[in-house]
Structures are given as C-alpha cells and as structure tokens.
Amino acid sequence: MSRPLRADARANHDRLLEVAAAAFAREGTGASLKAIAAEAGVGIGTLYRRFPTREVLVDAVYHNEVARLCAAAPDLLAELPPVDALATWMERFVDFMATKRAMVGVLRADEDRLHTRELLRTAIATLLDGGAARPGVDPNDVLLALGGITLIAGEERERALATRLIGLLLHGVAGQ
C-alpha cells in the first residue's frame, strides 16, 4: 500500500495531470513531456518519478479526467438549476471525450472499461434524479446518446455541432 503524498508532491502531481490533459487534447499524446513538466513548473525528473513512462502518464490523465467529470455532477446540481447542471455536465463530457480521443492510441486496453462506464452512468443518474429529467429517462440511454454526439461532432470537428445536438438531447430528456 502506498502512503499518501506530501502536500507539495500532491500539488505537483495534480498540476502535471492538468497540464498533460491540456497538452494531449491540444497536441495529441506525442506532446513533449519536457514541455509538460516545464508548464507544470516542475523538472522532467519529477514527471518521470511520478509517471515513469508516457503510457503511465496517459493512463493517469484519463482516469483523473473521468474522476473529475463524475465528481462534478453533484457540485453542478448544488450550483445550478437541474437542467442547467445537466447541460453543463454534458458539455464537459464532450470536452472529456475530445481529450480521450487524443489519447486513444496510447491508452492501454481499458481493463476497467465497465467500471468507467458505470461511473459515468452514475454521474448522469445523479443529474437526472436531481430533477433534470422527465420520468422514465434511462441514464444508460443518455450516456449512449452523448457518446453518439461526441462521435458525430468529432468526425465533423465541430464543437458547435455538439452543443446543438446536446440541446436536442436535453429537450428530449427534460421534456421541455
């Protein structure tokens, strides 16, 4: 069992993940690790101590982004009206999928893909149960529809298209 990181080491770890996620989304997984370390304000040695290979870093970024996205659901419900919380979460999901798409060539076969899907489904269920949906809306259906939106918008390389399609999905989900 590994022991918890010191506060400064945790901050470095978190900054590296945040900067790497942005770099991978922008440049793909071939982004310079040296540039990622520099932008995060740490040396390349610190990056390699935390993430010994590019693949380990990509995997850590992916799992961190899933966790952040899922953890946002209850926070959004506390801050926004339910339908707005769901809309905001869906927009974040599209951004997450764009980052994931940039990493897909390096991501290991996701042994816990079902676990990841369940985390996403649970986040959507939280938002739907929070008052964002008409009765009977299945979180799995919403997740599949969002996946389809990201595929369509990704192929078109048009973020605005994703937002329009999310609007249509929300109309069906919320019954408005």
Side-chain angles (χ1 to χ4, degrees):
M1 183 171 175
S2 63
R3 49 179 210 188
L5 294 175
R6 296 183 328 261
D8 61 331
R10 169 53 53 200
N12 288 343
H13 179 88
D14 293 346
R15 264 196 324 279
L16 281 165
L17 291 175
E18 181 181 330
V19 169
F24 295 158
R26 191 176 54 244
E27 304 167 36
T29 56
S32 164
L33 296 183
K34 187 174 182 181
I36 289 170
E39 188 178 337
V42 301
I44 192 70
T46 298
L47 184 145
Y48 280 116
R49 263 190 308 284
R50 297 299 317 146
F51 310 102
T53 67
R54 180 178 301 273
E55 292 77 18
V56 170
L57 177 60
V58 169
D59 191 60
V61 166
Y62 171 73
H63 285 92
N64 187 61
E65 292 300 300
V66 168
R68 287 180 56 197
L69 178 62
C70 293
D75 295 339
L76 290 170
L77 274 175
E79 298 167 11
L80 300 169
V83 173
D84 293 342
L86 180 60
T88 300
W89 192 91
M90 288 178 168
E91 293 285 349
R92 289 181 185 184
F93 179 87
V94 169
D95 294 338
F96 159 74
M97 290 300 288
T99 301
K100 179 185 174 192
R101 193 174 303 111
M103 297 185 293
V104 81
V106 178
L107 279 173
R108 297 178 305 182
D110 195 6
E111 305 89 27
D112 63 349
R113 185 173 53 211
L114 292 176
H115 177 69
T116 298
R117 187 175 297 142
E118 181 56 25
L119 290 173
L120 293 167
R121 191 207 66 75
T122 299
I124 291 170
T126 297
L127 292 158
L128 298 178
D129 293 344
R134 59 183 170 72
V137 174
D138 186 328
N140 289 311
D141 294 344
V142 175
L143 182 57
L144 287 171
L146 277 172
I149 288 170
T150 62
L151 285 174
I152 293 165
E155 288 173 5
E156 298 294 323
R157 302 220 190 302
E158 189 179 335
R159 183 62 175 81
L161 174 60
T163 296
R164 290 193 312 272
L165 293 173
I166 285 171
L168 289 172
L169 177 58
L170 278 169
H171 182 75
V173 167
Q176 298 178 334

